[in-house]
Amino acid sequence: MMSGDKVKEYEKIKQVYNENPNGADLLFLCRSCYGGVVRFRKADGYMSTPCGIHAPISPREFSERVSIWHTRTLGTEFLQMSYEDAMTKTKTGDLVYCDPPYSHTQTILYGAQEFRLEKLFEVIAECKRRGVYVALSIDGTKKSGKVDCDLPIPKDLFEREVFVDCGRSMLKRFQMDGLTLEQEHVSDRLLLTY
Ligand SMILES: C[S@@+](CC[C@H](N)C(=O)[O-])C[C@H]1O[C@@H](n2cnc3c(N)ncnc32)[C@H](O)[C@@H]1O
């Protein structure tokens, strides 16, 4: 449990982590950093995200979630590889879920400048050809449905589109710092190749 000035203590832990990267500090930083978005500097791997304005999840609640996810992920194999490689390994009948950077708001947040949605669409098309099912969550409507986000989606790639209600926008909640969020309802668009 952390005590003392929140930002000062956060920066101290961030410094310790950057001098000697370790799992325990990274876990703390993930829970407390701005928007929960951990950014590493490209040049030297320095973790640079500032302190979040939210109250981080308590260690007790966090521990409960870890237990739940421990059970849920039993028997799961986690692999670190590019999405191109991972999707190429799939076989007919497999299901792939893609949650790429949202083109309208997250380019800077996730340092995703190298990410190209067009390339992902190509890989999805290749999966579809092999009988692999793909679900893709991507920009839906923002500003309570007043703004529609258009994307360069290839014709005939997706068979269905569903909108999943995500409640209030997490990002806006941080940015507006307590102001009313009535206008900021977000729905994610889930595109399905089947
Ligand atoms: C919408 S977030 C996914 C959030 C995740 N599903 C979760 O629940 O935590 C988009 C993710 O894409 C990652 N990303 C950015 N560029 C990428 C790339 N070229 N290849 C794979 N992932 C990338 C970002 O780091 C970010 O974690």
Side-chain angles (χ1 to χ4, degrees):
M1 181 79 84
M2 189 174 78
S3 59
D5 178 75
K6 187 175 141 185
V7 176
K8 235 162 89 187
E9 294 303 317
Y10 173 89
E11 287 302 332
K12 254 195 242 168
I13 293 168
K14 189 165 96 181
Q15 190 185 338
V16 171
Y17 172 79
N18 277 316
E19 280 163 13
N20 176 27
N22 65 87
D25 286 339
L26 181 61
L27 210 50
F28 170 82
L29 295 170
C30 290
R31 286 166 32 220
S32 347
C33 70
Y34 191 89
V37 176
V38 185
R39 282 186 321 214
F40 297 97
R41 214 158 50 193
K42 231 180 190 169
D44 55 0
Y46 179 90
M47 193 306 216
S48 61
T49 316
C51 185
I53 58 173
H54 65 292
I57 182 173
S58 73
R60 192 185 53 78
E61 260 183 277
F62 182 72
S63 150
E64 281 167 17
R65 286 195 202 178
V66 170
S67 300
I68 292 168
W69 280 98
H70 173 73
T71 312
R72 284 187 188 172
T73 54
L74 273 179
T76 306
E77 189 185 354
F78 292 91
L79 302 170
Q80 186 183 16
M81 60 174 71
S82 71
Y83 76 83
E84 290 98 324
D85 287 349
M87 289 171 76
T88 303
K89 280 173 177 282
T90 54
K91 297 186 206 72
T92 307
D94 284 349
L95 172 71
V96 174
Y97 168 57
C98 304
D99 189 16
Y102 295 6
S103 55
H104 283 260
T105 52
Q106 299 186 329
T107 305
I108 297 163
L109 248 188
Y110 288 119
Q113 291 87 344
E114 281 164 26
F115 179 77
R116 279 182 51 244
L117 203 52
E118 290 82 359
K119 173 71 197 168
L120 177 62
F121 286 141
E122 280 170 26
V123 181
I124 292 175
E126 206 278 313
C127 281
K128 189 183 178 190
R129 270 195 292 278
R130 289 187 290 112
V132 173
Y133 304 109
V134 182
L136 169 79
S137 52
I138 200 78
D139 274 348
T141 50
K142 295 226 169 86
K143 303 252 177 214
S144 300
K146 287 195 197 98
V147 177
D148 221 329
C149 306
D150 290 324
L151 293 166
I153 300 169
K155 206 174 155 284
D156 299 333
L157 180 56
F158 297 100
E159 305 294 333
R160 281 190 295 152
E161 169 180 47
V162 292
F163 283 88
V164 183
D165 187 353
C166 306
R168 306 278 184 253
S169 162
M170 176 202 82
L171 194 60
K172 285 288 175 194
R173 196 180 321 139
F174 288 115
Q175 290 170 345
M176 292 169 77
D177 195 11
L179 295 176
T180 175
L181 295 169
E182 293 311 310
Q183 298 305 311
E184 294 298 334
H185 219 88
V186 172
S187 50
D188 256 5
R189 184 194 228 173
L190 198 58
L191 298 166
L192 310 170
T193 57
Y194 49 96

